[in-house]
Amino acid sequence: MHPYSLKSSKGAPILPRPIFVFFIASFGFYVCYLSFNQITLESGREGNSREEQRDCRKPYVPHEELSYVHFPKPTSYSRGECSCTPVRFFVIVSMQRSGSGWFETLLNSHPNISSNGEIFNRVDRRENISSILQTLDTLYNLDWLTSAAKNECTAAFGLKWMLNQGILENPEDIVSYLKKKGVSVIFLFRRNTLRRLISVLANDYDKDAKQLNGTHKSHVHSKEEAEILAKFKPHLDPSTLITNIRNIEKAIRDCLDHFKSTRHMILYYEDIISNSNALFQVQEFLRVPVRRLMSRQVKIHTRPIPDLVKNWEEVSSKLNGTEFAHFLDGSDYVK
Ligand SMILES: *[C@@H]1O[C@H](CO)[C@@H](O)[C@H](O)[C@H]1NC(C)=O
Ligand SMILES: *[C@@H]1O[C@H](CO)[C@@H](O)[C@H](O)[C@H]1NC(C)=O
Ligand SMILES: *[C@@H]1O[C@H](CO)[C@@H](O)[C@H](O)[C@H]1NC(C)=O
Ligand SMILES: *[C@@H]1O[C@H](CO)[C@@H](O)[C@H](O)[C@H]1NC(C)=O
């Protein structure tokens, strides 16, 4: 082959010079047109964000907190003057009869906290992982309108989720959602799971007996009502007692184990009762202004534990000598 064969392309027919120039020029125009368009687009975008910044000044957020801070744009209303108030997402993970109803009324007495109740008590919302995540998406977009929702100026928004409402069936997917979404978890459990069991049985009894003038109440707002409900002493089946307590404690352990990689705090009902700092710590955890929280709810079972059970002798001899013996003396429980 000729060593200069490439150069021989010179001889190939090429476009006449004017047409060539025309092409170059058109290409130049095209490039200019594209970049001009991009400039107008960008300046448009810049204009928008500048407008947003003029409306409000987003507060300084430390780098390590960024993934937990949100500026949701609900579709059902405008956050108005508080559109630049950062919102933290939370979930209270708990069990029935562990004080979570009371805890939630305490949180909702704060002007900047909205806790929206047990939204997963409806089966269709927890039927499968996609219905769970879709429900959470709606909630965390602040498009969940309950009486607890304070809308515009909410700074912490969340729900109450019981262990038997689909959490333990889908832990990996839920944990990865909570981490991706920057949701903080408040675990609320009872140390004395024997007292919890008594409360479950008493509450189940009242569902049928309706001791308060024919209405069933799980929570009460007066001492008189509390006394009426506390009169009933459940009988605890000694043959299933230890298994029951073990299952409850295992569910709590499993849950804490699955969720340990989330941002979380562990709270015990007994601590809220005996330690006035516990609720301040919760507010610090949620990064809301700390204040004294109030609830109208009244505690139902205030007496020493032997007075709460019909067959106390049986129960105490069954548990004495086991790992649950410390539930018997009530020393872990200060009224
Ligand atoms: C809390 O709510 C009040 C009243 O709605 C609002 O003025 C204030 O900016 C909110 N504070 C925070 C920290 O979100
Ligand atoms: C999940 O549950 C929802 C609500 O019940 C249902 O409409 C949907 O078809 C289910 N999806 C799957 C993948 O099973
Ligand atoms: C039950 O009804 C009676 C009569 O209406 C009323 O006096 C009493 O306070 C009620 N008790 C409770 C616990 O609601
Ligand atoms: C547990 O058993 C021991 C020894 O049998 C007894 O001394 C103690 O009083 C029992 N405690 C309770 C709470 O029943």
Side-chain angles (χ1 to χ4, degrees), residues 211-213 215 217 222 224-225 228:
Q211 299 161 95
L212 295 171
N213 281 349
T215 29
K217 288 193 181 172
S222 76
E224 294 70 38
E225 288 177 317
I228 293 171

Side-chain angles (χ1 to χ4, degrees), residues 80-127:
E81 53 164 328
C82 284
S83 59
C84 292
T85 301
V87 180
R88 314 257 169 175
F89 299 152
F90 68 87
V91 54
I92 304 162
V93 173
S94 189
M95 286 177 122
Q96 274 81 12
R97 311 314 292 174
S98 299
S100 66
W102 173 57
F103 179 64
E104 199 174 40
T105 60
L106 286 165
L107 289 188
N108 278 327
S109 74
H110 193 294
N112 303 108
I113 304 179
S114 298
S115 190
N116 293 274
E118 275 172 54
I119 66 174
F120 287 109
N121 58 2
R122 264 182 46 187
V123 176
D124 58 328
R125 295 178 187 153
R126 58 168 202 259
E127 197 146 296

Side-chain angles (χ1 to χ4, degrees), residues 8-257:
S8 75
S9 69
K10 229 181 174 180
I14 53 161
L15 292 171
R17 187 163 287 193
I19 295 182
F20 181 71
V21 167
F22 175 75
F23 268 121
I24 296 283
S26 323
F27 183 70
F29 269 119
Y30 182 64
V31 166
C32 279
Y33 172 77
L34 274 189
S35 50
F36 179 73
N37 255 7
Q38 215 152 343
I39 286 164
T40 48
L41 272 180
E42 265 165 19
S43 69
R45 247 184 258 133
E46 235 169 62
N48 277 346
S49 66
R50 256 191 228 124
E51 223 162 79
E52 267 168 28
Q53 272 165 13
R54 224 183 296 131
D55 283 348
C56 60
R57 190 175 291 273
K58 287 192 180 169
Y60 167 74
V61 178
H63 183 71
E64 66 276 12
E65 296 266 312
L66 278 177
S67 53
Y68 301 106
V69 165
H70 309 275
F71 300 92
K73 294 193 170 61
T75 55
S76 41
Y77 60 93
S78 156
R79 293 190 66 217
E81 53 164 328
C82 284
S83 59
C84 292
T85 301
V87 180
R88 314 257 169 175
F89 299 152
F90 68 87
V91 54
I92 304 162
V93 173
S94 189
M95 286 177 122
Q96 274 81 12
R97 311 314 292 174
S98 299
S100 66
W102 173 57
F103 179 64
E104 199 174 40
T105 60
L106 286 165
L107 289 188
N108 278 327
S109 74
H110 193 294
N112 303 108
I113 304 179
S114 298
S115 190
N116 293 274
E118 275 172 54
I119 66 174
F120 287 109
N121 58 2
R122 264 182 46 187
V123 176
D124 58 328
R125 295 178 187 153
R126 58 168 202 259
E127 197 146 296
N128 51 53
I129 187 65
S130 52
S131 50
I132 288 178
L133 299 187
Q134 205 181 330
T135 303
L136 289 174
D137 269 343
T138 309
L139 179 96
Y140 288 130
N141 201 41
L142 269 53
D143 280 320
W144 199 274
L145 305 177
T146 66
S147 56
K150 297 178 185 78
N151 303 344
E152 292 84 359
C153 290
T154 289
F157 202 85
L159 73 149
K160 188 169 80 148
W161 200 348
M162 299 297 166
L163 283 196
N164 62 356
Q165 292 171 348
I167 297 184
L168 292 176
E169 288 78 19
N170 309 281
E172 284 87 16
D173 289 322
I174 293 172
V175 165
S176 84
Y177 177 91
L178 296 179
K179 288 170 75 174
K180 200 175 81 208
K181 199 90 180 170
V183 179
S184 301
V185 185
I186 301 172
F187 294 104
L188 175 59
F189 294 121
R190 247 178 125 137
R191 284 189 207 282
N192 193 325
T193 48
L194 177 61
R195 270 191 178 263
R196 176 185 173 273
L197 194 60
I198 294 166
S199 180
V200 168
L201 293 173
N203 187 54
D204 284 349
Y205 170 79
D206 187 62
K207 277 178 195 159
D208 293 326
K210 300 184 173 57
Q211 299 161 95
L212 295 171
N213 281 349
T215 29
H216 164 58
K217 288 193 181 172
S218 296
H219 307 289
V220 297
H221 292 125
S222 76
K223 271 210 153 66
E224 294 70 38
E225 288 177 317
E227 264 161 34
I228 293 171
L229 290 189
K231 268 189 202 135
F232 172 74
K233 297 184 182 186
H235 174 276
L236 271 55
D237 180 356
S239 66
T240 56
L241 185 57
I242 298 220
T243 317
N244 263 345
I245 297 179
R246 280 215 180 107
N247 287 345
I248 294 167
E249 305 240 323
K250 182 177 183 316
I252 294 175
R253 268 199 318 275
D254 286 351
C255 174
L256 291 177
D257 195 44

